[in-house]
Amino acid sequence: MKSLLNQLARQGDIDWLSYYFAQFISEQANTDIDDLLALSAALVSEANLAGDVCIDLAQLSNKPLFSSSRIDCEIPRGIDSHQWVAYLATTSVVGDTAHQTPLILDDQRLYLHRYWHYENQVAAGIYARLSPEPVDKQALMVQIESLFADARPEEQEQQSAVLQAVQQRFTVISGGPGTGKTTTVVKILAALLTIQPDIRIALAAPTGKAAARMMDSIQNRIDQISIDADKRSLIPTRASTLHRLLGYRQRHFQYGREHRLAVDCVIVDEASMIDLSLMFHLLQALPDRARLILLGDRDQLASVSAGNVMGDITGHGRSLDQASPELAGAIALLRHSYRFDASGGIANLAQQVNLGDSNAALSLLESRDKSIHWQISEDEQLEPKYLDWILKSYQPVFEADSVSDALQQFDKTRVLSAINWGPLGVNELNQLISSKLLAKNQLPDSGSFHGMPIMVNRNHYELGIFNGDSGILWQTRKGLVACFDDGSGGVREISLNRLSDYSPAWVTTVHKSQGSEFDSVLLVLPGDAEAEVLSRELLYTAITRARRDFHLHAGRSVITQTIKRLTKRDSGLAAKLGWSD
């Protein structure tokens, strides 16, 4: 007879990785594969794959453990979380915080040892940086007065953020689109270079696209800020991915506890995308006296891998009064948007979604605001109206006179989906759009063609091209090549023979769009309102990618359920950093 866990794996209710881990644990402890220990091991593995750092046993007692409705799989009735903890603690493979065992119990949270170690080290690394940094306050205040001369009242938030970042070794600056994060960073750079002209600064982001956009934004802001020529020349002109900064090669990082980065300050943009493992490795590689400044939007989607570091640090939307004074003093919240009129449609819609007010959001979608467009669709097919809109929006890419013009045209519009598979998923929509554009433009019927946008699906460190980077296939004298913006106004051409694992990018996932902005955005949501991928953060992230127009293709019930579903990742980091419940 097949074990319960084997049946769950065969039905797709758990990943086979979770099954084999549970089997390993049961063998190590000499228990049955369907024992409570093995079920717990499978559950914590599943949680990690879903983005959780741990499982909270107190939240799981007497509840279905897995998604299957075909198999009854619960912790036995009458066993509460304290008894559950007590039983696990008697086994040889579950230890407390002082033991090296595959599984760790920390209070009523159960971790894989690796994630427990990451979480504790991240908390310790942040705490170690919460003490004030000695600076020349007189020189600093002179610089602040110069940077914020004739400042408007709403710029007080930015001024406070600059003061925080310069006077301590750890700062998180969180704000929505257009709240002045880049302007604040440039002023931080100017202030740091004033009090320490020889400071070594590294700029980074989780993805290549986000790093390029960070650098573009900084370059565009420099001339708008009062900085003398000497200081301007010292501002970094390049940003890298975090993996490149840390020297990632073949699953190992060159820089770490034994080999630190040669920097005095690291500034990371799009920090909401940083997972727990990457945050651990970044903190390990930083010199003890180096500053770390994280920028991002705490309301956006969390990282793809386990953890929600930005959310845990900033309290998941809670008031800073609920944080310890030391941590609260390291968090700066930028609320005033300079991009959107506070009464404008996109900003208002993003706000209502963020507040979880589905009725207000639906009213805005039904309004006549010129920046918001809603196509009600209750089935799993793309409405012809929006297929026509997509083809019309992307036609200028083919009509461009040069590849640089084509790249600019492509970055004006983006179609986003919540899922990869299914009729309204990235893969099928890309195939549909490609076939229609091929026919419309009479291009060769092949897998790759002139004018097709692509997205890179893995890092190519030797080429300086990274997972999530987008480019365009373009016919040149050398044949069909992949062309990418080089970050300085030029174009890089790369032979397709050297570029492996890329896909069409007419449509991308919302996750892949983080770190980018477009004039017009179309979000296509699946027809299943219960799809686990749908969340408030996903909708908010998609809305805030749009600068001018936001289009939504979704049913009413899907929108309502999406706004209601607030992602909560199980983690102990917020508690370890002193956030109160």
Side-chain angles (χ1 to χ4, degrees), residues 21-39:
F21 177 68
Q23 186 180 57
F24 164 77
I25 289 295
S26 66
E27 290 172 354
Q28 294 297 306
N30 196 27
T31 61
D32 187 83
I33 184 64
D34 287 332
D35 184 82
L36 180 55
L37 171 64
L39 292 177

PDB file of all heavy atoms in Angstrom, residues 21-39:
ATOM      1  N   PHE A  21      12.347  14.395   0.931  1.00  0.00           N
ATOM      2  CA  PHE A  21      12.911  14.950   2.164  1.00  0.00           C
ATOM      3  C   PHE A  21      12.244  14.299   3.377  1.00  0.00           C
ATOM      4  O   PHE A  21      12.918  13.928   4.349  1.00  0.00           O
ATOM      5  CB  PHE A  21      12.731  16.457   2.200  1.00  0.00           C
ATOM      6  CG  PHE A  21      13.221  17.088   3.474  1.00  0.00           C
ATOM      7  CD1 PHE A  21      14.574  17.106   3.781  1.00  0.00           C
ATOM      8  CD2 PHE A  21      12.330  17.644   4.386  1.00  0.00           C
ATOM      9  CE1 PHE A  21      15.033  17.666   4.970  1.00  0.00           C
ATOM     10  CE2 PHE A  21      12.774  18.211   5.564  1.00  0.00           C
ATOM     11  CZ  PHE A  21      14.135  18.221   5.860  1.00  0.00           C
ATOM     12  N   ALA A  22      10.925  14.161   3.319  1.00  0.00           N
ATOM     13  CA  ALA A  22      10.210  13.513   4.424  1.00  0.00           C
ATOM     14  C   ALA A  22      10.671  12.065   4.586  1.00  0.00           C
ATOM     15  O   ALA A  22      10.829  11.565   5.713  1.00  0.00           O
ATOM     16  CB  ALA A  22       8.708  13.561   4.173  1.00  0.00           C
ATOM     17  N   GLN A  23      10.908  11.384   3.468  1.00  0.00           N
ATOM     18  CA  GLN A  23      11.410  10.008   3.515  1.00  0.00           C
ATOM     19  C   GLN A  23      12.790   9.960   4.173  1.00  0.00           C
ATOM     20  O   GLN A  23      13.070   9.091   5.011  1.00  0.00           O
ATOM     21  CB  GLN A  23      11.469   9.439   2.101  1.00  0.00           C
ATOM     22  CG  GLN A  23      11.839   7.969   2.032  1.00  0.00           C
ATOM     23  CD  GLN A  23      11.868   7.471   0.596  1.00  0.00           C
ATOM     24  OE1 GLN A  23      12.581   7.996  -0.244  1.00  0.00           O
ATOM     25  NE2 GLN A  23      11.061   6.444   0.314  1.00  0.00           N
ATOM     26  N   PHE A  24      13.653  10.904   3.812  1.00  0.00           N
ATOM     27  CA  PHE A  24      14.985  10.966   4.421  1.00  0.00           C
ATOM     28  C   PHE A  24      14.884  11.187   5.935  1.00  0.00           C
ATOM     29  O   PHE A  24      15.574  10.521   6.721  1.00  0.00           O
ATOM     30  CB  PHE A  24      15.776  12.107   3.775  1.00  0.00           C
ATOM     31  CG  PHE A  24      17.002  12.522   4.537  1.00  0.00           C
ATOM     32  CD1 PHE A  24      18.163  11.767   4.497  1.00  0.00           C
ATOM     33  CD2 PHE A  24      16.995  13.680   5.321  1.00  0.00           C
ATOM     34  CE1 PHE A  24      19.291  12.145   5.213  1.00  0.00           C
ATOM     35  CE2 PHE A  24      18.116  14.069   6.033  1.00  0.00           C
ATOM     36  CZ  PHE A  24      19.263  13.290   5.988  1.00  0.00           C
ATOM     37  N   ILE A  25      14.013  12.099   6.344  1.00  0.00           N
ATOM     38  CA  ILE A  25      13.851  12.401   7.773  1.00  0.00           C
ATOM     39  C   ILE A  25      13.345  11.174   8.530  1.00  0.00           C
ATOM     40  O   ILE A  25      13.837  10.835   9.622  1.00  0.00           O
ATOM     41  CB  ILE A  25      12.891  13.595   7.961  1.00  0.00           C
ATOM     42  CG1 ILE A  25      13.567  14.897   7.510  1.00  0.00           C
ATOM     43  CG2 ILE A  25      12.419  13.706   9.405  1.00  0.00           C
ATOM     44  CD1 ILE A  25      14.763  15.312   8.340  1.00  0.00           C
ATOM     45  N   SER A  26      12.366  10.489   7.943  1.00  0.00           N
ATOM     46  CA  SER A  26      11.819   9.309   8.633  1.00  0.00           C
ATOM     47  C   SER A  26      12.863   8.206   8.746  1.00  0.00           C
ATOM     48  O   SER A  26      12.923   7.494   9.756  1.00  0.00           O
ATOM     49  CB  SER A  26      10.569   8.800   7.901  1.00  0.00           C
ATOM     50  OG  SER A  26      10.893   8.299   6.620  1.00  0.00           O
ATOM     51  N   GLU A  27      13.699   8.057   7.724  1.00  0.00           N
ATOM     52  CA  GLU A  27      14.764   7.049   7.776  1.00  0.00           C
ATOM     53  C   GLU A  27      15.801   7.402   8.831  1.00  0.00           C
ATOM     54  O   GLU A  27      16.287   6.538   9.570  1.00  0.00           O
ATOM     55  CB  GLU A  27      15.413   6.914   6.403  1.00  0.00           C
ATOM     56  CG  GLU A  27      14.510   6.255   5.365  1.00  0.00           C
ATOM     57  CD  GLU A  27      15.109   6.307   3.966  1.00  0.00           C
ATOM     58  OE1 GLU A  27      16.170   6.966   3.803  1.00  0.00           O
ATOM     59  OE2 GLU A  27      14.536   5.701   3.040  1.00  0.00           O
ATOM     60  N   GLN A  28      16.165   8.704   8.908  1.00  0.00           N
ATOM     61  CA  GLN A  28      17.153   9.138   9.891  1.00  0.00           C
ATOM     62  C   GLN A  28      16.655   8.943  11.313  1.00  0.00           C
ATOM     63  O   GLN A  28      17.427   8.616  12.219  1.00  0.00           O
ATOM     64  CB  GLN A  28      17.507  10.612   9.657  1.00  0.00           C
ATOM     65  CG  GLN A  28      18.229  10.896   8.360  1.00  0.00           C
ATOM     66  CD  GLN A  28      19.579  10.214   8.312  1.00  0.00           C
ATOM     67  OE1 GLN A  28      20.408  10.378   9.200  1.00  0.00           O
ATOM     68  NE2 GLN A  28      19.809   9.420   7.266  1.00  0.00           N
ATOM     69  N   ALA A  29      15.345   9.149  11.503  1.00  0.00           N
ATOM     70  CA  ALA A  29      14.778   9.036  12.855  1.00  0.00           C
ATOM     71  C   ALA A  29      14.212   7.652  13.137  1.00  0.00           C
ATOM     72  O   ALA A  29      13.723   7.405  14.251  1.00  0.00           O
ATOM     73  CB  ALA A  29      13.680  10.089  13.024  1.00  0.00           C
ATOM     74  N   ASN A  30      14.249   6.778  12.111  1.00  0.00           N
ATOM     75  CA  ASN A  30      13.721   5.419  12.263  1.00  0.00           C
ATOM     76  C   ASN A  30      12.242   5.433  12.641  1.00  0.00           C
ATOM     77  O   ASN A  30      11.801   4.747  13.560  1.00  0.00           O
ATOM     78  CB  ASN A  30      14.527   4.624  13.294  1.00  0.00           C
ATOM     79  CG  ASN A  30      14.265   3.130  13.193  1.00  0.00           C
ATOM     80  OD1 ASN A  30      13.915   2.629  12.122  1.00  0.00           O
ATOM     81  ND2 ASN A  30      14.402   2.427  14.306  1.00  0.00           N
ATOM     82  N   THR A  31      11.477   6.239  11.929  1.00  0.00           N
ATOM     83  CA  THR A  31      10.030   6.318  12.143  1.00  0.00           C
ATOM     84  C   THR A  31       9.322   5.963  10.837  1.00  0.00           C
ATOM     85  O   THR A  31       9.934   5.899   9.773  1.00  0.00           O
ATOM     86  CB  THR A  31       9.584   7.726  12.580  1.00  0.00           C
ATOM     87  OG1 THR A  31       9.934   8.666  11.549  1.00  0.00           O
ATOM     88  CG2 THR A  31      10.244   8.127  13.885  1.00  0.00           C
ATOM     89  N   ASP A  32       8.023   5.778  10.916  1.00  0.00           N
ATOM     90  CA  ASP A  32       7.211   5.459   9.740  1.00  0.00           C
ATOM     91  C   ASP A  32       7.099   6.683   8.826  1.00  0.00           C
ATOM     92  O   ASP A  32       7.095   7.816   9.304  1.00  0.00           O
ATOM     93  CB  ASP A  32       5.825   4.990  10.188  1.00  0.00           C
ATOM     94  CG  ASP A  32       4.997   4.485   9.023  1.00  0.00           C
ATOM     95  OD1 ASP A  32       5.161   3.309   8.632  1.00  0.00           O
ATOM     96  OD2 ASP A  32       4.204   5.282   8.494  1.00  0.00           O
ATOM     97  N   ILE A  33       6.971   6.449   7.521  1.00  0.00           N
ATOM     98  CA  ILE A  33       6.873   7.533   6.555  1.00  0.00           C
ATOM     99  C   ILE A  33       5.617   8.376   6.771  1.00  0.00           C
ATOM    100  O   ILE A  33       5.575   9.546   6.403  1.00  0.00           O
ATOM    101  CB  ILE A  33       6.902   6.976   5.104  1.00  0.00           C
ATOM    102  CG1 ILE A  33       6.896   8.126   4.071  1.00  0.00           C
ATOM    103  CG2 ILE A  33       5.710   6.055   4.864  1.00  0.00           C
ATOM    104  CD1 ILE A  33       8.100   9.002   4.110  1.00  0.00           C
ATOM    105  N   ASP A  34       4.574   7.802   7.375  1.00  0.00           N
ATOM    106  CA  ASP A  34       3.355   8.571   7.642  1.00  0.00           C
ATOM    107  C   ASP A  34       3.265   9.026   9.096  1.00  0.00           C
ATOM    108  O   ASP A  34       2.200   9.459   9.554  1.00  0.00           O
ATOM    109  CB  ASP A  34       2.115   7.739   7.282  1.00  0.00           C
ATOM    110  CG  ASP A  34       1.942   7.612   5.771  1.00  0.00           C
ATOM    111  OD1 ASP A  34       2.394   8.530   5.057  1.00  0.00           O
ATOM    112  OD2 ASP A  34       1.379   6.605   5.314  1.00  0.00           O
ATOM    113  N   ASP A  35       4.375   8.942   9.801  1.00  0.00           N
ATOM    114  CA  ASP A  35       4.418   9.449  11.169  1.00  0.00           C
ATOM    115  C   ASP A  35       4.284  10.969  11.161  1.00  0.00           C
ATOM    116  O   ASP A  35       4.567  11.636  10.156  1.00  0.00           O
ATOM    117  CB  ASP A  35       5.740   9.036  11.812  1.00  0.00           C
ATOM    118  CG  ASP A  35       5.836   9.439  13.264  1.00  0.00           C
ATOM    119  OD1 ASP A  35       5.302   8.715  14.112  1.00  0.00           O
ATOM    120  OD2 ASP A  35       6.437  10.499  13.529  1.00  0.00           O
ATOM    121  N   LEU A  36       3.889  11.550  12.283  1.00  0.00           N
ATOM    122  CA  LEU A  36       3.748  12.993  12.406  1.00  0.00           C
ATOM    123  C   LEU A  36       5.050  13.722  12.085  1.00  0.00           C
ATOM    124  O   LEU A  36       5.035  14.831  11.521  1.00  0.00           O
ATOM    125  CB  LEU A  36       3.290  13.334  13.832  1.00  0.00           C
ATOM    126  CG  LEU A  36       3.071  14.809  14.169  1.00  0.00           C
ATOM    127  CD1 LEU A  36       2.093  15.462  13.216  1.00  0.00           C
ATOM    128  CD2 LEU A  36       2.587  14.956  15.618  1.00  0.00           C
ATOM    129  N   LEU A  37       6.178  13.111  12.380  1.00  0.00           N
ATOM    130  CA  LEU A  37       7.472  13.721  12.075  1.00  0.00           C
ATOM    131  C   LEU A  37       7.649  13.898  10.564  1.00  0.00           C
ATOM    132  O   LEU A  37       8.035  14.969  10.083  1.00  0.00           O
ATOM    133  CB  LEU A  37       8.605  12.864  12.637  1.00  0.00           C
ATOM    134  CG  LEU A  37      10.022  13.269  12.207  1.00  0.00           C
ATOM    135  CD1 LEU A  37      10.369  14.659  12.720  1.00  0.00           C
ATOM    136  CD2 LEU A  37      11.035  12.238  12.687  1.00  0.00           C
ATOM    137  N   ALA A  38       7.365  12.833   9.785  1.00  0.00           N
ATOM    138  CA  ALA A  38       7.524  12.905   8.328  1.00  0.00           C
ATOM    139  C   ALA A  38       6.543  13.898   7.723  1.00  0.00           C
ATOM    140  O   ALA A  38       6.890  14.656   6.794  1.00  0.00           O
ATOM    141  CB  ALA A  38       7.332  11.530   7.711  1.00  0.00           C
ATOM    142  N   LEU A  39       5.312  13.912   8.228  1.00  0.00           N
ATOM    143  CA  LEU A  39       4.329  14.887   7.749  1.00  0.00           C
ATOM    144  C   LEU A  39       4.827  16.309   8.003  1.00  0.00           C
ATOM    145  O   LEU A  39       4.696  17.197   7.147  1.00  0.00           O
ATOM    146  CB  LEU A  39       2.985  14.667   8.437  1.00  0.00           C
ATOM    147  CG  LEU A  39       2.229  13.378   8.102  1.00  0.00           C
ATOM    148  CD1 LEU A  39       0.956  13.285   8.932  1.00  0.00           C
ATOM    149  CD2 LEU A  39       1.894  13.319   6.619  1.00  0.00           C
TER     150      LEU A  39
END
